Amino acid sequence: MRKTVLTVLGFIISLFQLLGQNSPSKLSGTIIGTTNFYDYSNNQCYTGSVNANAFDGNIQNTFATCDRTGGWIGLDLGEPYVITQLGYCPRKGQTARMQLGVFEGANNPDFGDAVTLYVIPDKPTENQLTRKVINCSRGFRYVRYVGPNDAKCNLSELEFYGYKGSGDDSKLPQITNLPTINIHTVNAQDIVDKETYIFGIVSIVSNDGTTLFTDSMKIKGRGNASWSFPKKPYKFKLNHKARLLDFPAKEKAWTLINNYGDKTLMRNLIAFDISKGLEMPYTPAGKPVDVVLNGEYKGTYQLCDQVEVGDDRVNVEKLEYNDIELPLLAGGYLIEMDAYANEGTSWFTSARNKVPVTIKYPEDDEIVSAQSNYIKTHFEKMETALAASNYTNTTTGYRKYIDVPSFTRQFLVGEISGNTDTYWSTYMFKRRFEDLFYFAPVWDFDIAFENDSRTYPINNQSDWICFSKGSWANGVRTIVNRIFSDPAFVKELKDTYAYYRNSGAITEDKLLDLIDYYALEIDDSQKLNFTRWNILNSKVHMNPTTYGSYQGEVNNVKNYVKNRIAWMDNKLNYVPTGIANSNVSDTYVLQENNTVRIKGIETNSQIKIFDISGRLMISEHASSDFSTTLPQGIYIIKILTDSNESKTLKCIIQ
């Protein structure tokens, strides 16, 4: 009996010890942080021990750094603690200086392995500690607060709560519902150019905090015009190949697209989905993410494939440095007709049309002269075939060198999206044992979907955007014009478009649903992004106008898509399968006030009106005259008489 009592008593004591160990309490430790701090009482900077004002329990005292950006303060807890709650209070009169401040936890003293615990989304309340519950299972020895950009890490008080323990990685915080990408460079070095790689560590938290990927890496800037924006784009290379966020490719090289001028933050994603729907040979993978760099919140980005040769990317045969004899020399290659080619290392200008071409693969540090000479010569063979008098010959003409199905789909992606720069930068690849250049992948749609002042409004143009107001790398227009002069190609373009419209791959409803999906997915993140980058009411890059809100920007894309599909249908004379017949008339009924009038109808004729997707809008019987009001769009009108004669009209309401 006594033994049983002692056993129960021991269990109760152990339980209370365990509960006590896991009972969160306010944490203390050695204060760490930026050592050059600002003393507002004397209005001067000091360097030395970190100012303790942030942890003195007095919200009237202030901590601030001399540096406007990158300042931080935190605690060395001595051993790992699982953080359960944070507390913070702004400096009096300076609540905005804590908005977008970042809390991090780490187990390396340089915070190289840090993950984001919390980002302050709104201006905190003055003279009051705001407390936030943190759902994180990992223990951290080092915790800190990093002030937002241009704010001098200004605050009055911080608190950390938690319990002792190393914990595990079963649950880590995400800033929003999007994956959070944490990047820390060695010594918090800034990324200042597109040539110099900076080494560091990347940690990606996804799947509602249940999945963590981390690896050492190196990172640099990327892009052309986009590199000049305040919100910078990046390219990074992992130390080990990985399949990030369940993307198809397992590779080292990845990009972070900034989408600064695209205020919907989704134009690239929409275009990539169109590319997939049109079954392009390869479409880059991409997903929206939140990015924190060296403890500073940077905004909503798009994690994306690096366009390169590889499995599940541009899948062509890889060349070795000693592949200088045919047939090995014949492939594979990745090139780009590129207006910026002369800014690179490995490039050429074609002899006939003076097209600037960047050789993307083999890469700059691997390519040998025999390979660069080969691909230049082969490109020029394509130009020669296009210029020849028998260029339409299916065996010896341009089709010997140009894969027409991929060219057709690439053209359609550019025109559906309204991309001004389709032929400013055009990727092509060549496989071994084939003469063909494949036009893929599509890339760079930040100024597409009615976001370019040079082409706005797109749907008011009567010709294709590329021919009316598009941007061209030198000589590329000559190539495209020549292809379009082939009647067989024009027919193939119409047939290809009709095939994907009839299959349901490209429909107005599908694209509008896709836009709504991305808008919902990005919504929480975009609010933070446009707090960090306050540009919704400003024209940036090529913006033709502003729409005052994120939803206004999204609605602009939706309105464009509605009108663009109708424009494309009309341009390519598309009539849905099941509606078209041999008696289709080219009659266009154009009436004011959205009214259609049909005169001279036989008695008791049946009138059926379909929208361009094939949906029945009106079914009525009429005699002599008929009129109805319809919204803007393209319609198919079928008239069936009592004598079973039928006529089909196409009607445009403008």
Side-chain angles (χ1 to χ4, degrees):
M1 179 67 178
R2 182 172 179 273
K3 184 177 181 180
T4 301
V5 172
L6 290 174
T7 301
V8 173
L9 182 60
F11 172 76
I12 293 173
I13 292 173
S14 298
L15 180 61
F16 273 104
Q17 289 175 339
L18 181 63
L19 290 174
Q21 182 183 15
N22 291 332
S23 178
S25 59
K26 185 177 178 181
L27 304 178
S28 61
T30 302
I31 299 174
I32 55 177
T34 304
T35 55
N36 58 337
F37 59 91
Y38 195 83
D39 187 341
Y40 281 99
S41 62
N42 296 316
N43 289 322
Q44 59 182 320
C45 284
Y46 290 93
T47 300
S49 301
V50 182
N51 187 306
N53 285 355
F55 295 101
D56 65 358
N58 186 346
I59 62 174
Q60 303 307 315
N61 291 335
T62 296
F63 173 83
T65 61
C66 298
D67 296 331
R68 299 198 67 87
T69 299
W72 63 277
I73 187 169
L75 295 173
D76 174 0
L77 302 173
E79 56 186 308
Y81 281 77
V82 175
I83 305 302
T84 60
Q85 186 173 277
L86 305 170
Y88 52 90
C89 182
R91 175 188 167 204
K92 186 177 180 180
Q94 300 293 333
T95 59
R97 293 197 175 193
M98 287 199 84
Q99 190 175 17
L100 299 185
V102 175
F103 288 90
E104 292 186 314
N107 285 302
N108 292 339
D110 64 355
F111 283 84
D113 65 334
V115 296
T116 302
L117 297 173
Y118 186 65
V119 174
I120 300 174
D122 304 304
K123 296 176 184 178
T125 304
E126 193 173 274
N127 293 322
Q128 177 180 314
L129 272 164
T130 299
R131 291 189 173 90
K132 294 294 179 182
V133 173
I134 303 300
N135 189 2
C136 181
S137 63
R138 179 193 280 191
F140 300 102
R141 173 174 171 174
Y142 305 97
V143 290
R144 71 174 181 178
Y145 168 79
V146 185
N149 176 70
D150 196 31
K152 286 192 172 184
C153 194
N154 235 296
L155 58 97
S156 68
E157 196 69 18
L158 295 175
E159 293 180 343
F160 293 91
Y161 293 81
Y163 59 86
K164 188 183 300 183
S166 297
D168 57 38
D169 290 341
S170 60
K171 180 66 176 179
L172 294 170
Q174 291 178 207
I175 296 174
T176 68
N177 55 296
L178 300 184
T180 298
I181 297 185
N182 303 279
I183 296 173
H184 291 84
T185 61
V186 174
N187 298 323
Q189 295 175 79
D190 197 10
I191 301 158
V192 297
D193 60 51
K194 300 186 293 181
E195 290 75 40
T196 307
Y197 272 112
I198 306 295
F199 289 88
I201 296 174
V202 59
S203 299
I204 303 176
V205 182
S206 60
N207 294 325
D208 194 28
T210 62
T211 301
L212 172 68
F213 169 83
T214 187
D215 193 14
S216 54
M217 47 82 82
K218 56 184 181 180
I219 185 170
K220 65 178 183 177
R222 66 164 306 279
N224 292 307
S226 60
W227 178 247
S228 66
F229 301 151
K231 181 185 179 185
K232 302 295 184 183
Y234 304 107
K235 173 183 177 181
F236 65 92
K237 283 190 175 182
L238 302 171
N239 194 36
H240 304 90
K241 287 186 176 183
R243 186 172 286 109
L244 301 183
L245 302 184
D246 297 322
F247 285 176
K250 185 177 182 180
E251 293 291 347
K252 291 184 178 182
W254 301 86
T255 60
L256 285 168
I257 308 300
N258 52 344
N259 289 326
Y260 182 72
D262 170 18
K263 296 172 188 173
T264 69
L265 305 167
M266 69 170 79
R267 282 178 165 90
N268 278 303
L269 298 172
I270 299 167
F272 288 172
D273 280 306
I274 294 172
S275 173
K276 293 173 188 174
L278 294 177
E279 301 177 292
M280 289 287 284
Y282 158 64
T283 300
K287 286 185 179 179
V289 296
D290 294 309
V291 172
V292 177
L293 174 61
N294 291 326
E296 181 185 341
Y297 171 73
K298 288 292 188 179
T300 310
Y301 279 71
Q302 177 185 317
L303 178 67
C304 190
D305 282 352
Q306 168 71 18
V307 176
E308 63 179 2
V309 169
D311 296 339
D312 297 307
R313 287 187 175 168
V314 180
N315 194 6
V316 300
E317 302 80 5
K318 290 195 173 182
L319 283 159
E320 302 294 338
Y321 74 94
N322 58 352
D323 288 343
I324 57 174
E325 300 292 337
L326 287 172
L328 296 179
L329 187 61
Y333 291 90
L334 173 63
I335 63 174
E336 179 185 8
M337 296 190 292
D338 179 14
Y340 294 109
N342 63 350
E343 297 181 7
T345 301
S346 182
W347 67 286
F348 63 85
T349 300
S350 66
R352 179 177 291 274
N353 296 318
K354 308 303 180 186
V355 177
V357 179
T358 301
I359 303 174
K360 294 291 188 177
Y361 181 83
E363 295 180 11
D364 294 350
D365 58 349
E366 297 175 345
I367 194 168
V368 297
S369 59
Q371 295 164 347
S372 58
N373 290 337
Y374 171 85
I375 196 61
K376 180 178 185 293
T377 300
H378 197 78
F379 187 90
E380 290 171 346
K381 287 181 180 178
M382 177 265 289
E383 287 185 317
T384 300
L386 266 170
S389 59
N390 66 339
Y391 76 106
T392 60
N393 186 289
T394 57
T395 303
T396 61
Y398 74 91
R399 290 173 185 265
K400 175 178 171 63
Y401 296 99
I402 291 178
D403 176 66
V404 174
S406 64
F407 175 85
T408 303
R409 288 158 176 76
Q410 184 253 10
F411 175 84
L412 287 174
V413 174
E415 287 297 326
I416 293 170
S417 65
N419 189 13
T420 312
D421 288 347
T422 295
Y423 295 110
W424 182 258
S425 167
T426 307
Y427 281 107
M428 305 158 71
F429 66 84
K430 180 191 176 300
R431 297 189 174 112
R432 189 173 292 166
F433 307 125
E434 291 187 17
D435 287 333
L436 292 171
F437 282 112
Y438 292 83
F439 281 69
V442 298
W443 186 256
D444 198 4
F445 293 85
D446 61 322
I447 59 174
F449 298 98
E450 206 69 288
N451 195 32
D452 189 338
S453 58
R454 298 168 298 176
T455 56
Y456 176 89
I458 294 170
N459 292 315
N460 283 1
Q461 311 298 324
S462 60
D463 201 357
W464 300 113
I465 184 174
C466 69
F467 292 126
S468 60
K469 293 188 176 181
S471 301
W472 300 79
N474 186 63
V476 179
R477 180 188 285 269
T478 301
I479 292 174
V480 178
N481 278 340
R482 188 66 164 168
I483 295 172
F484 264 80
S485 69
D486 178 10
F489 166 76
V490 175
K491 181 180 184 305
E492 187 166 340
L493 177 65
K494 291 180 178 180
D495 290 345
T496 301
Y497 181 75
Y499 172 82
Y500 286 105
R501 287 287 278 119
N502 289 332
S503 72
I506 303 296
T507 70
E508 177 186 320
D509 288 345
K510 188 170 185 177
L511 289 175
L512 294 180
D513 287 347
L514 182 68
I515 294 166
D516 286 339
Y517 169 82
Y518 283 131
L520 181 62
E521 181 183 27
I522 296 171
D523 191 49
D524 286 345
S525 182
Q526 64 85 14
K527 294 172 185 174
L528 294 177
N529 181 82
F530 291 114
T531 300
R532 176 66 179 87
W533 309 103
N534 184 20
I535 59 173
L536 278 176
N537 290 307
S538 303
K539 293 182 183 179
V540 298
H541 193 29
M542 305 304 297
N543 295 162
T545 187
T546 60
Y547 297 92
S549 67
Y550 181 71
Q551 189 59 53
E553 296 287 342
V554 171
N555 289 342
N556 171 52
V557 176
K558 294 176 72 172
N559 291 333
Y560 164 80
V561 164
K562 292 176 186 178
N563 294 326
R564 192 60 177 175
I565 295 300
W567 189 97
M568 295 283 295
D569 288 345
N570 181 54
K571 184 71 173 176
L572 292 171
N573 295 320
Y574 168 70
V575 178
T577 300
I579 297 178
N581 59 35
S582 59
N583 200 24
V584 174
S585 169
D586 287 331
T587 301
Y588 289 73
V589 182
L590 301 175
Q591 299 290 345
E592 295 181 355
N593 300 322
N594 299 77
T595 301
V596 176
R597 292 182 177 87
I598 306 173
K599 295 184 177 182
I601 301 172
E602 290 187 20
T603 302
N604 202 35
S605 292
Q606 185 177 23
I607 309 293
K608 288 188 176 183
I609 301 180
F610 302 84
D611 69 11
I612 199 65
S613 69
R615 180 176 51 186
L616 181 64
M617 304 290 291
I618 294 173
S619 179
E620 295 183 12
H621 285 81
S623 299
S624 182
D625 294 341
F626 171 82
S627 68
T628 189
T629 301
L630 293 168
Q632 184 182 47
I634 300 177
Y635 299 91
I636 305 299
I637 303 172
K638 297 193 74 170
I639 305 172
L640 181 64
T641 68
D642 271 350
S643 57
N644 288 325
E645 292 183 1
S646 66
K647 186 175 185 180
T648 303
L649 306 174
K650 188 188 333 183
C651 169
I652 300 176
I653 301 296
Q654 294 181 332

